Amino acid sequence: MDNAALPVLGLELGSTRIKAVLVDDVGAPLASGAYDWENRLEDGWWTYHLEEVQAGVRAAFAALSADWKAKTGTPLTRVGALGISAMMHGYLPFDAAGRQLAPFRTWRNTATGEAAAILTERFSFNIPQRWSISHLYQAMLQGEAHVKDLAYLTTLAGYVHWQLTGEKVLGVGDASGMFPIDSAACDYDTGMLASFDELLAQAGLPFTLRQVLPKVLAAGKDAGCLTPEGARWLDPTGSLAPGAPLAPPEGDAGTGMAATNAVAARTGNVSAGTSVFAMAVLEKPLSRVYPEIDMVTTPAGRPVAMVHCNTCTSDLDAWVKLLGQMAEAAGAKLVKPDLYDLFYQKALEGAPDCGGLVNFNCYSGEPVLGLDEGRPLFVRRPDASLTLENFARAQLYSTMAALKLGMDLLFEKEQVRLERLLGHGGLFKTPVAGQKLLAGALRVPVSVMASAGEGGPWGMALLALYRLRCMQDGAPALEDWLEKFIFAGTEGSTIAPDEADAAGFAAFIKDYAACIPVEKAAVDALR
């Protein structure tokens, strides 16, 4: 059977959910499966165990296979292509025998401030704390014994791809969260590689950086095929046949760009879930280095300015759960989707400025706010209007407050202009509310497509589908292929900024910024 006639698989390991999606040859979803998981704080590090990674991936694939069989009556034995995506950044080091040298240190950790600051100054390029190179250099500065045995450093998506194919490669978008990328070459920046190699030599380490980093690949390039061992790693039942080509593994930022058709210049997207980040595809480089703005790339290697905030909906989720318990205690049990829809609707009914309520949703450190650690914090003046509607609105505002402070640097200091800003992720599952409030906060129209709920796994499936297309002659550029073959005629909605919302958010963010020292004091007090 021709691979083009087979379903294509995208699988993404998110912060709280691993999800697998099958699509047809035009990207329409056919089946899905998921597995819920959660990071854990161990010895001061936010982490996931690799045993959990394999168990979760297998569970999500098994659920997808069951969904496929229920819908088609046939078992899932072959896929035309597949791709792996995961939360970006972090630190996954291995020795020459493939043994893990240190626990997986995720993007959520903010213990690499010293290394990030030194590298940012050395490279004249913003190096965020969560980037892989920050974790490596911090381990070097602290004299961690495992570094001398390092033979391979990768991301979570790169790790799973390695297990499936045996290939030590990474999509350029995910690689741009490990080390700075030269977009013209679609590879690591050679000058910065040489500069870091000097630090390795000074530390007496027996390798160069290129020797331990994954090979960089643009979207559509050959990233290997599913091996027999890889097929068993994914599907221990033995039903899945090997041989399918894989797309270069990508990070959740890249799949978010693909899922929202935001890979061309002057387009952007906001991915809002456990964390929140906004991406703006640039026409020209930024005029200076901003600690609050990361420079990454699209899956095709175009330069992208990224504002990343570590926490988005976690605090909101906790409050909704608490209010659901209250409703249940009163005999009014609501299913989870209805509970969220009600909470979001109440937020729309709140005062544009939240009635003077301020909320910090920081579960962990937030570099955009200058925080090494975070404490969820709700604060108000005694005469503030404490209503359910205002409280709900303050919760939604807090999911986008840090993002707003970072995006203002692009809009006001760099005069970045976007023709469209597309939203996807959990914040937009309830219609209108998150979209409307974000449009007011950023003062830019926000669009949500009908496919927005599919999110990153669907974006990864599209990149796997593009890999199949690139195995033929005359493949178009990624942005042209997405525009013409995937998103042409796609339904969606666009909400323009409402002036009352914009003015209300401006009042909220003024109080929010003034209260950042209060949040820092809470971190110091609650150790």
PDB file of all heavy atoms in Angstrom, residues 73 78 103 158 196 288 312 369 378 422-423 477 481 508 513:
ATOM      1  N   GLY A  73     -13.315  -0.402  12.363  1.00  0.00           N
ATOM      2  CA  GLY A  73     -13.496  -1.841  12.434  1.00  0.00           C
ATOM      3  C   GLY A  73     -12.252  -2.639  12.121  1.00  0.00           C
ATOM      4  O   GLY A  73     -12.279  -3.872  12.095  1.00  0.00           O
ATOM      5  N   ARG A  78      -0.424   0.005  10.307  1.00  0.00           N
ATOM      6  CA  ARG A  78       0.558   0.787   9.555  1.00  0.00           C
ATOM      7  C   ARG A  78       0.166   2.249   9.567  1.00  0.00           C
ATOM      8  O   ARG A  78      -1.024   2.589   9.583  1.00  0.00           O
ATOM      9  CB  ARG A  78       0.653   0.306   8.096  1.00  0.00           C
ATOM     10  CG  ARG A  78       1.216  -1.082   7.894  1.00  0.00           C
ATOM     11  CD  ARG A  78       1.350  -1.371   6.414  1.00  0.00           C
ATOM     12  NE  ARG A  78       2.317  -0.476   5.770  1.00  0.00           N
ATOM     13  CZ  ARG A  78       2.404  -0.306   4.457  1.00  0.00           C
ATOM     14  NH1 ARG A  78       1.575  -0.937   3.645  1.00  0.00           N
ATOM     15  NH2 ARG A  78       3.317   0.522   3.950  1.00  0.00           N
ATOM     16  N   PRO A 103      18.756  13.248  36.090  1.00  0.00           N
ATOM     17  CA  PRO A 103      17.312  13.322  35.880  1.00  0.00           C
ATOM     18  C   PRO A 103      16.969  14.390  34.837  1.00  0.00           C
ATOM     19  O   PRO A 103      17.658  15.399  34.719  1.00  0.00           O
ATOM     20  CB  PRO A 103      16.772  13.701  37.270  1.00  0.00           C
ATOM     21  CG  PRO A 103      17.819  13.240  38.224  1.00  0.00           C
ATOM     22  CD  PRO A 103      19.125  13.429  37.519  1.00  0.00           C
ATOM     23  N   GLY A 158      13.459  14.813  21.042  1.00  0.00           N
ATOM     24  CA  GLY A 158      14.625  14.166  20.460  1.00  0.00           C
ATOM     25  C   GLY A 158      14.882  12.799  21.048  1.00  0.00           C
ATOM     26  O   GLY A 158      15.293  11.866  20.347  1.00  0.00           O
ATOM     27  N   PHE A 196      31.642  28.456  22.851  1.00  0.00           N
ATOM     28  CA  PHE A 196      31.351  27.528  23.949  1.00  0.00           C
ATOM     29  C   PHE A 196      32.393  26.421  24.029  1.00  0.00           C
ATOM     30  O   PHE A 196      32.735  25.948  25.123  1.00  0.00           O
ATOM     31  CB  PHE A 196      29.954  26.910  23.788  1.00  0.00           C
ATOM     32  CG  PHE A 196      29.476  26.230  25.040  1.00  0.00           C
ATOM     33  CD1 PHE A 196      28.856  26.952  26.049  1.00  0.00           C
ATOM     34  CD2 PHE A 196      29.664  24.867  25.229  1.00  0.00           C
ATOM     35  CE1 PHE A 196      28.433  26.334  27.218  1.00  0.00           C
ATOM     36  CE2 PHE A 196      29.243  24.235  26.385  1.00  0.00           C
ATOM     37  CZ  PHE A 196      28.632  24.979  27.393  1.00  0.00           C
ATOM     38  N   ARG A 288      18.209  44.852  19.363  1.00  0.00           N
ATOM     39  CA  ARG A 288      19.046  44.639  20.551  1.00  0.00           C
ATOM     40  C   ARG A 288      18.620  43.343  21.229  1.00  0.00           C
ATOM     41  O   ARG A 288      17.651  42.694  20.833  1.00  0.00           O
ATOM     42  CB  ARG A 288      18.912  45.800  21.532  1.00  0.00           C
ATOM     43  CG  ARG A 288      17.489  46.203  21.842  1.00  0.00           C
ATOM     44  CD  ARG A 288      17.355  46.987  23.119  1.00  0.00           C
ATOM     45  NE  ARG A 288      17.602  46.134  24.286  1.00  0.00           N
ATOM     46  CZ  ARG A 288      17.245  46.467  25.517  1.00  0.00           C
ATOM     47  NH1 ARG A 288      16.658  47.622  25.759  1.00  0.00           N
ATOM     48  NH2 ARG A 288      17.486  45.645  26.528  1.00  0.00           N
ATOM     49  N   CYS A 312       0.567  29.373  32.925  1.00  0.00           N
ATOM     50  CA  CYS A 312      -0.605  29.984  32.315  1.00  0.00           C
ATOM     51  C   CYS A 312      -1.865  29.563  33.065  1.00  0.00           C
ATOM     52  O   CYS A 312      -2.391  30.312  33.872  1.00  0.00           O
ATOM     53  CB  CYS A 312      -0.687  29.610  30.836  1.00  0.00           C
ATOM     54  SG  CYS A 312      -2.075  30.371  29.961  1.00  0.00           S
ATOM     55  N   LEU A 369       9.135  38.207  34.680  1.00  0.00           N
ATOM     56  CA  LEU A 369       8.856  39.061  35.836  1.00  0.00           C
ATOM     57  C   LEU A 369      10.059  39.193  36.772  1.00  0.00           C
ATOM     58  O   LEU A 369       9.955  39.849  37.810  1.00  0.00           O
ATOM     59  CB  LEU A 369       7.672  38.494  36.631  1.00  0.00           C
ATOM     60  CG  LEU A 369       6.349  38.315  35.874  1.00  0.00           C
ATOM     61  CD1 LEU A 369       5.292  37.747  36.811  1.00  0.00           C
ATOM     62  CD2 LEU A 369       5.885  39.624  35.264  1.00  0.00           C
ATOM     63  N   PHE A 378      -3.182  35.901  45.413  1.00  0.00           N
ATOM     64  CA  PHE A 378      -4.348  36.732  45.117  1.00  0.00           C
ATOM     65  C   PHE A 378      -4.355  37.874  46.121  1.00  0.00           C
ATOM     66  O   PHE A 378      -4.261  37.650  47.333  1.00  0.00           O
ATOM     67  CB  PHE A 378      -5.632  35.904  45.243  1.00  0.00           C
ATOM     68  CG  PHE A 378      -6.893  36.716  45.080  1.00  0.00           C
ATOM     69  CD1 PHE A 378      -7.192  37.331  43.876  1.00  0.00           C
ATOM     70  CD2 PHE A 378      -7.775  36.871  46.139  1.00  0.00           C
ATOM     71  CE1 PHE A 378      -8.348  38.079  43.723  1.00  0.00           C
ATOM     72  CE2 PHE A 378      -8.937  37.611  46.004  1.00  0.00           C
ATOM     73  CZ  PHE A 378      -9.222  38.218  44.788  1.00  0.00           C
ATOM     74  N   LEU A 422      -2.873  34.124  15.944  1.00  0.00           N
ATOM     75  CA  LEU A 422      -3.789  33.005  16.093  1.00  0.00           C
ATOM     76  C   LEU A 422      -3.581  32.318  17.434  1.00  0.00           C
ATOM     77  O   LEU A 422      -2.443  32.107  17.862  1.00  0.00           O
ATOM     78  CB  LEU A 422      -3.596  32.004  14.952  1.00  0.00           C
ATOM     79  CG  LEU A 422      -3.898  32.599  13.567  1.00  0.00           C
ATOM     80  CD1 LEU A 422      -2.607  32.805  12.799  1.00  0.00           C
ATOM     81  CD2 LEU A 422      -4.846  31.707  12.795  1.00  0.00           C
ATOM     82  N   GLY A 423      -4.676  31.985  18.080  1.00  0.00           N
ATOM     83  CA  GLY A 423      -4.603  31.348  19.381  1.00  0.00           C
ATOM     84  C   GLY A 423      -4.946  29.874  19.318  1.00  0.00           C
ATOM     85  O   GLY A 423      -5.809  29.457  18.543  1.00  0.00           O
ATOM     86  N   ALA A 477       7.434  25.217  -0.381  1.00  0.00           N
ATOM     87  CA  ALA A 477       7.889  25.648   0.944  1.00  0.00           C
ATOM     88  C   ALA A 477       6.791  25.354   1.970  1.00  0.00           C
ATOM     89  O   ALA A 477       5.603  25.312   1.643  1.00  0.00           O
ATOM     90  CB  ALA A 477       8.214  27.141   0.924  1.00  0.00           C
ATOM     91  N   TRP A 481       2.724  25.307   1.403  1.00  0.00           N
ATOM     92  CA  TRP A 481       1.990  24.041   1.497  1.00  0.00           C
ATOM     93  C   TRP A 481       0.868  24.137   2.523  1.00  0.00           C
ATOM     94  O   TRP A 481      -0.263  23.708   2.269  1.00  0.00           O
ATOM     95  CB  TRP A 481       2.963  22.920   1.860  1.00  0.00           C
ATOM     96  CG  TRP A 481       2.318  21.575   2.015  1.00  0.00           C
ATOM     97  CD1 TRP A 481       1.947  20.722   1.013  1.00  0.00           C
ATOM     98  CD2 TRP A 481       1.965  20.946   3.249  1.00  0.00           C
ATOM     99  NE1 TRP A 481       1.382  19.581   1.553  1.00  0.00           N
ATOM    100  CE2 TRP A 481       1.386  19.690   2.923  1.00  0.00           C
ATOM    101  CE3 TRP A 481       2.093  21.298   4.589  1.00  0.00           C
ATOM    102  CZ2 TRP A 481       0.928  18.805   3.895  1.00  0.00           C
ATOM    103  CZ3 TRP A 481       1.637  20.419   5.561  1.00  0.00           C
ATOM    104  CH2 TRP A 481       1.062  19.183   5.221  1.00  0.00           C
ATOM    105  N   PHE A 508      -5.590  46.958  35.046  1.00  0.00           N
ATOM    106  CA  PHE A 508      -5.190  45.744  35.761  1.00  0.00           C
ATOM    107  C   PHE A 508      -3.677  45.566  35.732  1.00  0.00           C
ATOM    108  O   PHE A 508      -3.045  45.288  36.760  1.00  0.00           O
ATOM    109  CB  PHE A 508      -5.878  44.522  35.138  1.00  0.00           C
ATOM    110  CG  PHE A 508      -5.361  43.199  35.650  1.00  0.00           C
ATOM    111  CD1 PHE A 508      -5.864  42.644  36.810  1.00  0.00           C
ATOM    112  CD2 PHE A 508      -4.361  42.510  34.966  1.00  0.00           C
ATOM    113  CE1 PHE A 508      -5.393  41.426  37.282  1.00  0.00           C
ATOM    114  CE2 PHE A 508      -3.871  41.296  35.433  1.00  0.00           C
ATOM    115  CZ  PHE A 508      -4.394  40.751  36.598  1.00  0.00           C
ATOM    116  N   ALA A 513       1.838  45.143  37.766  1.00  0.00           N
ATOM    117  CA  ALA A 513       3.260  45.494  37.757  1.00  0.00           C
ATOM    118  C   ALA A 513       3.691  46.093  39.082  1.00  0.00           C
ATOM    119  O   ALA A 513       4.797  45.810  39.585  1.00  0.00           O
ATOM    120  CB  ALA A 513       3.543  46.467  36.611  1.00  0.00           C
TER     121      ALA A 513
END
